[in-house]
Amino acid sequence: MTTLSTLDERRNTINQRLETALGSSDDHSVVLANSAINSCSDRWYGQLVALSYATIADQPITDVVLSASAATELLRGYCQLRSELLHQLHTSQRNSLMRDPVKMLLAGDYLNSTAYTVFFEAGNQQFEKALEALIETSRSLIDSFNITRTQSIDTYTFLDKFVGTLGEGAVTIAANLTGSNTVLRNEFINLGRALSSAYHAFSILELDDRRSVGPIDHSQYEESDLCQYGARHFRGAMYTLNELQEVVDVEPLLELIDAHFGGKMGYKKWI
């Protein structure tokens, strides 16, 4: 297998594509969109797309894959703004830091549409199937926000409905780009949901790293419950990964897992 670029190199490339796609402007929608993208600087979903592709295809990560990574990060920014807006609408505490709801809606729509622009710029023989996965992920997020718009988003709703959907979408896009068989794709869907839910649950509990999680009410969980939730999903992800190593080279995804889970020592007793 061709040596892959490092996580940092891949992150820098994804960032460059995001900067090119969004540009810079004083327009409120563009400013808010960039703010949402920059608040999720770990590029978890972009890396998940790229390294899932490398695992399934057993090939180097290509330009089209990195474009798909950037598109998925744009959907993440959309999710970030929509969940922040819902939290803001349902909170009883008003303050000067709250943003204009109309501008937030426009910024979210801008991120959503830009995801398709980035994706259309890439050419690939599996493009149509991968685009279907992007559309389905976007539709699922929109449907989830429509369902929850009349109620506050708690920690577990955010993790199950939004984080899980983004994780599933990331690996489905990657799998479709490789043209993988349905059975393998379904296994990766479970892996993507579980890994993303575990990673974000653990991140919520990292006091110095809340920028990479949704703007949910962090008081709406018990620490031990959230640890168990994250550990349960992590164990499920590792079980799936162990099963997959019989048919694919899982080293690329292990790189991502080691980088993002290795330092979270506080969860070892739960995993």
Side-chain angles (χ1 to χ4, degrees), residues 183-196:
V183 174
L184 188 61
R185 187 162 55 244
N186 288 340
E187 289 296 314
F188 269 85
I189 285 172
N190 295 333
L191 179 65
R193 291 193 70 92
L195 271 182
S196 291

Side-chain angles (χ1 to χ4, degrees), residues 4 10-11 22 26 34 63 71 97 101 117 122-124 133 136 146 171 176 188 198 202 226 241 260-261:
L4 299 171
R10 200 175 305 110
R11 184 183 299 110
L22 293 174
D26 293 333
N34 275 296
D63 284 344
L97 296 178
T117 301
N124 182 273
E136 183 57 34
N146 286 338
V171 296
N176 286 359
F188 269 85
F202 292 168
L226 192 56
L241 205 61
H260 288 284
F261 289 92

Side-chain angles (χ1 to χ4, degrees), residues 3-60:
T3 302
L4 299 171
S5 61
T6 66
L7 287 169
D8 286 341
E9 289 172 339
R10 200 175 305 110
R11 184 183 299 110
N12 290 337
T13 301
I14 294 171
N15 283 337
Q16 290 170 6
R17 289 170 189 254
L18 291 170
E19 290 171 6
T20 299
L22 293 174
S24 60
S25 170
D26 293 333
D27 181 90
H28 289 298
S29 296
V30 178
V31 171
L32 277 176
N34 275 296
S35 175
I37 290 297
N38 292 333
S39 71
C40 304
S41 59
D42 61 2
R43 301 293 169 245
W44 166 261
Y45 293 101
Q47 301 276 14
L48 186 58
V49 170
L51 292 173
S52 294
Y53 174 88
T55 293
I56 299 170
D58 193 29
Q59 294 176 359

Side-chain angles (χ1 to χ4, degrees), residues 232-243:
R232 183 172 69 253
H233 282 281
F234 184 78
R235 288 194 299 269
M238 293 308 295
Y239 175 83
T240 301
L241 205 61
N242 287 335
E243 293 292 309

Side-chain angles (χ1 to χ4, degrees), residues 117-146:
T117 301
V118 169
F119 210 81
F120 277 120
E121 291 173 350
N124 182 273
Q125 62 181 357
Q126 300 296 336
F127 172 80
E128 186 174 342
K129 290 183 178 180
L131 178 61
E132 289 174 1
L134 185 73
I135 292 171
E136 183 57 34
T137 301
S138 175
R139 182 183 295 122
S140 294
L141 290 171
I142 292 170
D143 288 346
S144 292
F145 281 122
N146 286 338

Side-chain angles (χ1 to χ4, degrees), residues 110-121:
Y110 176 57
L111 286 169
N112 199 336
S113 61
T114 303
Y116 291 98
T117 301
V118 169
F119 210 81
F120 277 120
E121 291 173 350

